Short mmCIF file of all heavy atoms in Angstrom, two decimals:
data_model
loop_
_atom_site.label_atom_id
_atom_site.label_comp_id
_atom_site.label_asym_id
_atom_site.label_seq_id
_atom_site.Cartn_x
_atom_site.Cartn_y
_atom_site.Cartn_z
N PRO N 134 -47.15 -111.24 -4.94
CA PRO N 134 -47.88 -112.49 -4.21
C PRO N 134 -47.72 -112.27 -2.74
O PRO N 134 -46.69 -111.84 -2.23
CB PRO N 134 -47.11 -113.66 -4.84
CG PRO N 134 -45.81 -113.15 -5.15
CD PRO N 134 -46.04 -111.60 -5.56
N ALA N 135 -48.85 -112.59 -1.95
CA ALA N 135 -48.72 -112.53 -0.47
C ALA N 135 -49.19 -113.92 0.07
O ALA N 135 -49.56 -114.74 -0.84
CB ALA N 135 -49.44 -111.37 0.10
N GLN N 136 -49.30 -113.94 1.26
CA GLN N 136 -49.63 -115.36 1.75
C GLN N 136 -51.09 -115.78 1.71
O GLN N 136 -51.93 -114.89 1.63
CB GLN N 136 -49.10 -115.50 3.40
CG GLN N 136 -50.10 -114.65 4.29
CD GLN N 136 -49.56 -113.21 4.38
OE1 GLN N 136 -49.09 -112.53 3.52
NE2 GLN N 136 -49.81 -112.68 5.58
N ASN N 137 -51.35 -116.98 1.61
CA ASN N 137 -52.67 -117.58 1.55
C ASN N 137 -53.59 -116.99 0.52
O ASN N 137 -54.76 -116.99 0.76
CB ASN N 137 -53.42 -117.23 3.05
CG ASN N 137 -52.65 -117.79 4.21
OD1 ASN N 137 -51.98 -118.87 4.11
ND2 ASN N 137 -52.63 -117.02 5.26
N GLY N 138 -53.02 -116.83 -0.68
CA GLY N 138 -53.79 -116.39 -1.76
C GLY N 138 -54.07 -114.85 -1.85
O GLY N 138 -54.85 -114.42 -2.75
N SER N 139 -53.50 -114.13 -0.88
CA SER N 139 -53.67 -112.72 -0.98
C SER N 139 -52.66 -111.98 -1.79
O SER N 139 -51.84 -112.78 -2.18
CB SER N 139 -53.77 -112.03 0.46
OG SER N 139 -52.43 -112.16 1.01
N ILE N 140 -52.98 -110.75 -2.18
CA ILE N 140 -52.01 -109.99 -3.04
C ILE N 140 -51.79 -108.62 -2.45
O ILE N 140 -52.58 -108.02 -1.89
CB ILE N 140 -52.78 -109.80 -4.47
CG1 ILE N 140 -52.88 -111.12 -5.13
CG2 ILE N 140 -52.11 -108.71 -5.27
CD1 ILE N 140 -53.61 -110.99 -6.59
N ASP N 141 -50.42 -108.29 -2.58
CA ASP N 141 -50.03 -107.08 -1.95
C ASP N 141 -49.84 -105.92 -3.09
O ASP N 141 -49.35 -106.30 -4.09
CB ASP N 141 -48.63 -107.13 -1.26
CG ASP N 141 -48.67 -107.77 0.09
OD1 ASP N 141 -49.62 -107.88 0.71
OD2 ASP N 141 -47.50 -108.33 0.45
N LEU N 142 -50.26 -104.79 -2.57
CA LEU N 142 -49.87 -103.59 -3.39
C LEU N 142 -48.81 -102.95 -2.43
O LEU N 142 -49.17 -102.57 -1.40
CB LEU N 142 -51.09 -102.75 -3.60
CG LEU N 142 -52.26 -103.28 -4.32
CD1 LEU N 142 -53.52 -102.39 -4.31
CD2 LEU N 142 -51.92 -103.81 -5.73
N PHE N 143 -47.61 -102.67 -2.95
CA PHE N 143 -46.54 -102.26 -2.15
C PHE N 143 -45.88 -101.04 -2.79
O PHE N 143 -45.28 -101.21 -3.89
CB PHE N 143 -45.55 -103.33 -1.88
CG PHE N 143 -44.46 -103.06 -0.86
CD1 PHE N 143 -44.67 -102.18 0.30
CD2 PHE N 143 -43.13 -103.58 -1.00
CE1 PHE N 143 -43.77 -101.85 1.04
CE2 PHE N 143 -42.33 -103.31 -0.09
CZ PHE N 143 -42.38 -102.49 0.97
N TRP N 144 -45.97 -99.91 -2.19
CA TRP N 144 -45.23 -98.76 -2.61
C TRP N 144 -43.94 -98.64 -1.73
O TRP N 144 -44.23 -98.33 -0.58
CB TRP N 144 -46.20 -97.53 -2.46
CG TRP N 144 -47.17 -97.25 -3.41
CD1 TRP N 144 -47.28 -96.54 -4.55
CD2 TRP N 144 -48.55 -97.75 -3.25
NE1 TRP N 144 -48.47 -96.43 -5.11
CE2 TRP N 144 -49.23 -97.27 -4.41
CE3 TRP N 144 -49.31 -98.62 -2.38
CZ2 TRP N 144 -50.68 -97.57 -4.67
CZ3 TRP N 144 -50.48 -98.94 -2.75
CH2 TRP N 144 -51.27 -98.46 -3.70
N LYS N 145 -42.87 -98.82 -2.30
CA LYS N 145 -41.70 -98.62 -1.64
C LYS N 145 -40.91 -97.53 -2.33
O LYS N 145 -40.22 -97.70 -3.28
CB LYS N 145 -40.72 -99.88 -1.56
CG LYS N 145 -39.53 -99.71 -0.62
CD LYS N 145 -38.99 -101.13 -0.19
CE LYS N 145 -37.86 -100.86 0.83
NZ LYS N 145 -38.37 -100.35 2.08
N LYS N 146 -41.17 -96.32 -1.78
CA LYS N 146 -40.68 -95.08 -2.35
C LYS N 146 -39.64 -94.40 -1.58
O LYS N 146 -39.48 -94.68 -0.33
CB LYS N 146 -41.88 -94.18 -2.77
CG LYS N 146 -42.89 -94.87 -3.48
CD LYS N 146 -42.36 -95.37 -4.87
CE LYS N 146 -43.62 -96.09 -5.81
NZ LYS N 146 -42.99 -96.56 -6.96
N GLU N 147 -39.02 -93.34 -2.11
CA GLU N 147 -38.11 -92.59 -1.40
C GLU N 147 -38.64 -91.96 -0.15
O GLU N 147 -38.06 -91.89 0.87
CB GLU N 147 -37.53 -91.54 -2.44
CG GLU N 147 -36.13 -91.04 -2.06
CD GLU N 147 -35.52 -90.14 -3.11
OE1 GLU N 147 -35.45 -90.48 -4.27
OE2 GLU N 147 -35.39 -88.96 -2.75
#
Side-chain angles (χ1 to χ4, degrees):
Chain N
Q136 72 274 31
N137 303 322
S139 65
I140 290 176
D141 279 344
L142 305 176
F143 187 33
W144 286 262
K145 188 157 186 65
K146 305 296 178 185
E147 205 174 298

